[in-house]
Amino acid sequence: MSKIASQVNKNSDQFKANVAYHEELGAQLRERIADAIHGGRDHLIERHRKRGKLLPRERIDLLVDPFTPFLEFSTLAAYEQYGGKVHSAGVVTGIGVVHGTFCVIVANDSTVKGGAYYPETVKKHIRAQEIAEKHQLPCIYLVDCGGAYLHEWDRVFPDRDHFGNIFFRQCNLSAQGLTQIAAVFGVSTAGAAYIPALSDEVVMVRGNATIHLGGPSIVKVAINEDINPEDLGGAQMHTTVSGVSDYIAESEQEAIARVRDIVSRLNRPLQKHVRTQPVQEPAYSIEELKGIVNKDMAQPYDMREVIARIVDGSDLQEFKPLWGTSLVCGTAHIQGYPVGILANNGPLFSDSSVKGAHFIELCEQRNIPLLFLQNVPGFMVGKAAEQGGISKHSAKLVYAMSCAKVPRFTVVVGGSYGAGNYGMCGRGFRPNMMFAWPNSVVATMSADIGTNVVMELARTSISKPPTPEALEKLDRETRAMYAEKSGAYYATSRLWDDGIIEPTQTRDVIGLCLAVAATLPPEEGRKYVYRM
């Protein structure tokens, strides 16, 4: 009785137009990811290889167990910033399986500005550490880094969430029993020297790896001492003299093998990725998502059609299906793991907000992770909504979602506007992981509404009444601003999510997230359910 019966007409013109639109977006995404991985720096990659060095993703491929996935975060961080030269923000982060253990991996890319840390690099590194802490995972640092990018020092160095916070988190992760392991493949200088220095175990590659707080040029200026990089901070010196390094490796492959050996002996509790039921494929092809989600944000579609192509067996035990219908809530399984889903079928009214809060409490009581599928124009506004207590009832949803201790995952599948973004576990509410589709939009309000608000404020200005020409210019500039700043690539470039994924990848990505979450012990504490 809980299997979703699809009503989609795959032969309609609208379905075919939607497919073409999403296939174009998918091709564009793949092209931009390929450029982030290899584009625009062939000469730097060639020089890197001549030094006998692997690229960061090649190191990760050797590090993780064969035929296991690597969930990469924020591949397009810093996209279209800094002249398009800081690919992936100069660092690769994600979750991989090493000797059967989920690990967070942070790998510097020295072919991108020498692996220097820009503001987005710092933010991306810290986000990886946040994910490690949330899921109680060890961290592996593949170090090849020239420290902070000095021209951006005021946005990288002094503040609470700047470069120093990386080391603060590293210390505290280790103190929680989450092992910190570093393998140094190249330069690790200035602040970056603390990444291996604060790790529990360190491996250095002979000939290429160096660790020093100040390089030879700084030493010369500071104390007028002439010294070469090897004597100052090379692998041989640090492994046999200073003791900064615990192991020396003759090649990168040997260093990676040593890291794998260390992980194999961590003596962590066995991670049981226990599925509560056998995996079942959805009853409908996930490829059909391309035809369901409309190009025109104003054209609605039933989110149950999306859910039917993501969950096992297209089976959803829907909660309160006849009440608060603008929010679909229900329990299902993805890749055999239980999940509670909240998905938007329109704006959030008082009844749907209360329904969502109630459903979250049920999942909290039963230790079921939550998945928020965002396509929300916001909470309902207007006289009737306010008299019906929308401020009070929407706050219940925000409160329940904010305080839920079960893992929470979010995917922005369409529009995510205003407080609706908040109620559906947007970035500010720290979901365990958050992803977006290429068509997604995140903004305080739609371009039309936002422009109308700005125009009305301008028209009623008493300090400087605008001319018709000024109003026309303001309208044009405001719409252009919304077009630029609300798109998926603008958001992911600034790490407002953990990466853009294609709709057809959603089931696998969320399945992997749930597998990681399944290794966590249940949260202790009171688990009341208040009927609202």
Side-chain angles (χ1 to χ4, degrees):
M1 292 179 63
S2 56
K3 181 177 176 180
I4 298 171
S6 177
Q7 305 297 318
V8 170
N9 178 6
K10 292 182 285 185
N11 296 316
S12 71
D13 291 340
Q14 183 64 61
F15 186 93
K16 294 174 182 176
N18 290 340
V19 168
Y21 169 66
H22 284 284
E23 286 185 345
E24 182 180 349
L25 289 183
Q28 182 186 66
L29 175 61
R30 290 188 291 274
E31 180 181 333
R32 291 176 177 181
I33 288 174
D35 182 68
I37 293 173
H38 292 297
R41 55 189 193 281
D42 290 347
H43 62 296
L44 297 173
I45 292 173
E46 182 181 357
R47 184 179 68 179
H48 189 81
R49 293 198 185 283
K50 284 180 178 178
R51 294 171 174 170
K53 299 169 71 174
L54 301 171
L55 295 174
R57 291 175 180 84
E58 294 170 341
R59 292 166 180 160
I60 291 169
D61 284 343
L62 291 174
L63 177 63
V64 301
D65 294 350
F67 307 110
T68 61
F70 175 68
L71 179 58
E72 184 172 335
F73 304 136
S74 301
T75 307
L76 296 174
Y79 174 76
E80 288 193 332
Q81 298 188 67
Y82 313 105
K85 301 298 185 183
V86 186
H87 302 83
S88 294
V91 67
V92 182
T93 64
I95 295 178
V97 182
V98 181
H99 267 293
T101 298
F102 282 121
C103 297
V104 164
I105 301 169
V106 178
N108 302 115
D109 189 346
S110 64
T111 71
V112 179
K113 302 293 185 180
Y117 274 64
Y118 284 71
E120 289 73 21
T121 319
V122 172
K123 192 172 183 180
K124 186 172 175 178
H125 189 135
I126 288 173
R127 176 60 180 153
Q129 291 175 308
E130 286 178 349
I131 290 172
E133 185 170 21
K134 270 185 177 290
H135 300 93
Q136 294 292 285
L137 303 179
C139 293
I140 299 172
Y141 304 98
L142 307 182
V143 186
D144 199 348
C145 171
Y149 184 65
L150 296 181
H151 294 289
E152 293 282 345
W153 74 265
D154 60 320
R155 298 201 298 144
V156 171
F157 171 69
D159 207 352
R160 192 187 77 166
D161 293 323
H162 285 177
F163 206 4
N165 191 247
I166 290 173
F167 314 131
F168 173 82
R169 289 177 179 274
Q170 197 172 339
C171 295
N172 280 276
L173 288 168
S174 178
Q176 293 177 41
L178 305 176
T179 302
Q180 308 289 291
I181 304 166
V184 185
F185 299 99
V187 172
S188 181
T189 190
Y194 285 107
I195 296 174
L198 291 170
S199 293
D200 303 323
E201 293 191 65
V202 181
V203 185
M204 294 183 72
V205 178
R206 190 192 301 274
N208 280 332
T210 56
I211 299 173
H212 36 59
L213 296 181
S217 60
I218 293 177
V219 170
K220 177 64 176 176
V221 171
I223 62 173
N224 198 32
E225 179 179 272
D226 291 307
I227 190 167
N228 64 57
E230 277 297 315
D231 290 340
L232 181 64
Q236 179 72 22
M237 188 280 289
H238 275 313
T239 310
T240 62
V241 179
S242 74
V244 170
S245 171
D246 305 304
Y247 311 98
I248 194 167
E250 301 301 324
S251 66
E252 294 201 359
Q253 290 84 350
E254 183 183 334
I256 291 166
R258 173 69 74 174
V259 171
R260 285 183 52 81
D261 285 346
I262 293 169
V263 175
S264 73
R265 291 166 173 81
L266 291 183
N267 194 31
R268 283 170 57 84
L270 182 64
Q271 294 181 330
K272 301 176 182 177
H273 320 298
V274 178
R275 294 179 168 92
T276 59
Q277 68 175 35
V279 177
Q280 299 180 55
E281 289 299 311
Y284 312 101
S285 171
I286 198 167
E287 292 288 336
E288 294 171 7
L289 288 176
K290 299 174 186 176
I292 292 167
V293 179
N294 288 312
K295 175 181 180 180
D296 183 359
M297 290 280 186
Q299 294 297 315
Y301 54 89
D302 189 349
M303 194 63 83
R304 294 176 187 84
E305 298 286 1
V306 173
I307 296 169
R309 287 153 180 84
I310 294 174
V311 303
D312 290 6
S314 301
D315 191 327
L316 177 73
Q317 182 62 53
E318 192 169 345
F319 176 68
K320 286 185 181 292
L322 303 179
W323 191 76
T325 55
S326 68
L327 183 65
V328 178
C329 300
T331 52
H333 287 77
I334 296 179
Q335 303 284 15
Y337 298 102
V339 64
I341 298 174
L342 296 92
N344 304 112
N345 259 358
L348 290 161
F349 294 84
S350 288
D351 55 359
S352 49
S353 299
V354 171
K355 170 182 169 178
H358 188 171
F359 179 70
I360 288 170
E361 289 181 339
L362 292 174
C363 291
E364 179 82 348
Q365 183 191 60
R366 299 164 191 178
N367 197 41
I368 298 174
L370 295 167
L371 171 62
F372 296 83
L373 299 177
Q374 289 192 0
N375 183 30
V376 57
F379 288 102
M380 193 60 189
V381 297
K383 178 180 177 181
E386 294 297 348
Q387 289 184 348
I390 186 64
S391 296
K392 174 178 64 177
H393 295 307
S394 64
K396 294 174 183 176
L397 176 59
V398 172
Y399 198 108
M401 176 275 299
S402 299
C403 296
K405 291 183 172 60
V406 293
R408 299 168 299 147
F409 303 99
T410 302
V411 182
V412 187
V413 305
S416 177
Y417 296 107
N421 171 280
Y422 293 174
M424 291 294 292
C425 199
R427 189 62 147 182
F429 293 83
R430 304 185 181 186
N432 288 51
M433 286 179 250
M434 179 174 178
F435 302 94
W437 287 0
N439 59 299
S440 64
V441 172
V442 176
T444 53
M445 55 191 72
S446 70
D448 285 340
I449 295 174
T451 302
N452 287 336
V453 170
V454 171
M455 295 294 286
E456 184 62 24
L457 290 172
R459 289 189 191 99
T460 57
S461 173
I462 61 173
S463 60
K464 188 179 180 182
T467 64
E469 294 76 16
L471 285 173
E472 182 181 346
K473 181 182 179 184
L474 180 61
D475 181 280
R476 186 171 60 252
E477 290 177 347
T478 304
R479 291 182 185 279
M481 179 271 291
Y482 270 96
E484 175 195 356
K485 294 186 176 181
S486 61
Y489 291 98
Y490 188 92
T492 205
S493 176
R494 289 151 182 82
L495 289 100
W496 297 352
D497 54 51
D498 294 311
I500 300 176
I501 60 174
E502 295 186 52
T504 52
Q505 296 174 314
T506 306
R507 174 173 161 82
D508 287 340
V509 168
I510 297 302
L512 183 54
C513 291
L514 294 171
V516 174
T519 66
L520 290 168
E523 287 280 352
E524 298 296 327
R526 296 172 179 170
K527 297 186 177 179
Y528 298 132
V529 175
Y530 294 102
R531 293 193 62 87
M532 298 192 185

